[in-house]
Amino acid sequence: MAITGTDINVAKEFLLKGELVAIPTETVYGLAGNALNYSAVLSIFEVKNRPAFDPLIIHTDSLEKVQRYVSDFPEKALLLAKHFWPGPLTLLLPKKQTIPDLVTSGLDSVAVRIPNHPLLLGLLQTIPFPLAAPSANPFGYISPTNAAHVNAQLGEKIPYILDGGESEVGIESTIVGFENDEPVVYRLGGLAVEEIEAIVGKVRLMPHSSSNPKAPGMLKSHYAPRKPLYLDQRETFPEIEEKLTGYLLFNQYLENIDPQYQRILSKNGDMKEAAHNLFAYLRELDILPIQQIRAEFVPMTGLGLAINDRLQRAAAKE
Ligand code: TXA
Ligand code: MG
């Protein structure tokens, strides 16, 4: 097991040596290393068992530092940055040479984000480099939203987990890139599309199409639990199950089913609460003595788009 603690100086010492540390963010926990150190970045891919064609997000704590790593900042990107950073927004911007090609899988844009977590911001202020950090889960599994989740899966492989409590948002950042300076959403996430559109007007949505060369890592089978997950409207759930089944539901229990096998994302139907609970509940269901999981779609408003996106990817058979 990794040491779990709240000391940013301990985290800093490991990072300065080129070692990896798990970090808390408001979205999900990250597996972090010095983004400017080739061998640290390489070990991120190894520890996660992540293919080298799936690029990483870099994290830092100020707009001024972001400018050191990107060669262009379209006007609408700057507007979004000013409104939503620190926060669950990642921007794809043309990279400067200072960022190793390994970080971006050879692409000429780099994904950057200023996360909104006090402990992590404290750490980022004291280190002289940005942190490359994918979500701290083995490639393809559900992202972790607390230190225990990280320890359960990567604890043997990293020296330290910086424990910042539960991730408040609970799903990964929204990724926005630019085509002819116009914003395009490449991954739905913790910042709702409506909030983005309130600042920059209508945006194009291009989440995880497999023909999308900009997002080589946005594979369909991401975020999957180990148990098979079937996604549908609850009205179509079979009356009688042949297999032991657990349920992931939006705001209401199913009658006639033991509540122990049900998880309700938000009793009040609050999308933020639902997103916050999504991955943690998927993990809980995954370790129950059941054979399969049934999940229902949530309404398509606010973070509901991102929640349904994650459920769809979790349900992918391939
Ligand atoms: O909320 C988050 O974004 C979390 C926390 C830790 O910050 N991080 C995260 O990283 O979700 P990861 O590696 O699990 O997902 C990053 C996604 C990948 O699907 C990758 O393909 C995409 O971002 N990405 C990264 N750099 C890119 C680039 N230069 N061009 C296109 N897509 C990129
Ligand atoms: Mg991930």
Side-chain angles (χ1 to χ4, degrees):
M1 296 284 259
I3 298 168
T4 299
T6 56
D7 190 340
I8 57 174
N9 290 313
V10 175
K12 178 181 174 180
E13 287 312 311
F14 284 118
L15 291 165
L16 284 171
K17 285 190 284 183
E19 293 189 49
L20 306 186
V21 164
I23 51 163
T25 89
E26 82 282 31
T27 58
V28 300
Y29 273 66
L31 174 66
N34 176 353
L36 309 182
N37 175 332
Y38 185 89
S39 76
V41 176
L42 193 60
S43 44
I44 293 176
F45 285 95
E46 284 167 2
V47 165
K48 259 197 82 123
N49 206 1
R50 179 179 176 119
F53 61 76
D54 193 2
L56 307 176
I57 298 173
I58 66 165
H59 301 69
T60 189
D61 64 289
S62 73
L63 202 50
E64 183 239 314
K65 287 186 189 171
V66 171
Q67 311 260 16
R68 294 180 202 164
Y69 308 113
V70 306
S71 62
D72 185 35
F73 223 123
E75 203 181 314
K76 289 189 175 172
L78 205 55
L79 263 177
L80 291 174
K82 286 187 172 155
H83 261 90
F84 297 116
W85 279 349
L89 168 72
T90 293
L91 296 176
L92 295 177
L93 298 168
K95 88 178 187 72
K96 282 188 183 157
Q97 295 250 330
T98 42
I99 299 297
D101 287 335
L102 186 61
V103 170
T104 63
S105 303
L107 298 171
D108 42 15
S109 64
V110 61
V112 281
R113 169 164 120 79
I114 301 181
N116 189 14
H117 191 289
L119 199 58
L120 176 58
L121 286 170
L123 172 64
L124 289 167
Q125 275 155 22
T126 69
I127 52 175
F129 45 78
L131 292 176
S135 50
N137 50 287
F139 186 69
Y141 194 65
I142 307 161
S143 298
T145 55
N146 64 37
H149 294 162
V150 180
N151 225 341
Q153 291 184 307
L154 298 181
E156 306 293 320
K157 295 184 172 176
I158 52 175
Y160 194 67
I161 300 172
L162 187 61
D163 187 350
E166 272 189 37
S167 295
E168 193 174 326
V169 175
I171 51 176
E172 299 84 351
S173 60
T174 301
I175 301 184
V176 178
F178 297 86
E179 274 174 28
N180 303 320
D181 292 348
E182 288 305 311
V184 179
V185 171
Y186 289 106
R187 180 176 71 182
L188 296 162
L191 180 64
V193 173
E194 293 93 321
E195 288 193 67
I196 295 174
E197 291 187 330
I199 305 302
V200 292
K202 264 277 173 244
V203 295
R204 208 144 57 85
L205 302 188
M206 278 184 66
H208 73 82
S209 62
S210 55
S211 59
N212 176 5
K214 273 238 160 123
M218 298 175 189
L219 306 172
K220 250 194 121 199
S221 64
H222 259 55
Y223 315 102
R226 310 235 184 273
K227 306 251 164 78
L229 181 143
Y230 302 98
L231 177 64
D232 223 321
Q233 313 291 345
R234 71 163 63 198
E235 295 74 29
T236 68
F237 288 175
E239 279 291 315
I240 297 169
E241 293 283 0
E242 284 169 14
K243 293 186 171 159
L244 292 169
T245 305
Y247 295 88
L248 185 65
L249 305 164
F250 177 49
N251 61 352
Q252 264 190 331
Y253 284 102
L254 292 167
E255 286 169 29
N256 310 323
I257 303 231
D258 186 344
Q260 194 185 319
Y261 296 102
Q262 306 188 49
R263 293 293 179 282
I264 308 300
L265 288 171
S266 169
K267 294 196 169 96
N268 303 323
D270 178 286
M271 286 302 170
K272 286 193 171 170
E273 184 182 24
H276 172 84
N277 289 328
L278 178 68
F279 288 154
Y281 285 179
L282 268 175
R283 279 174 188 259
E284 285 182 23
L285 289 167
D286 213 16
I287 56 177
L288 279 181
I290 54 172
Q291 294 164 295
Q292 61 182 16
I293 301 168
R294 284 202 191 279
E296 68 175 337
F297 287 102
V298 303
M300 285 292 268
T301 57
L303 297 185
L305 278 72
I307 295 171
N308 285 332
D309 168 84
R310 298 304 186 272
L311 287 171
Q312 263 158 338
R313 296 201 220 189
K317 285 293 143 333
E318 181 281 327

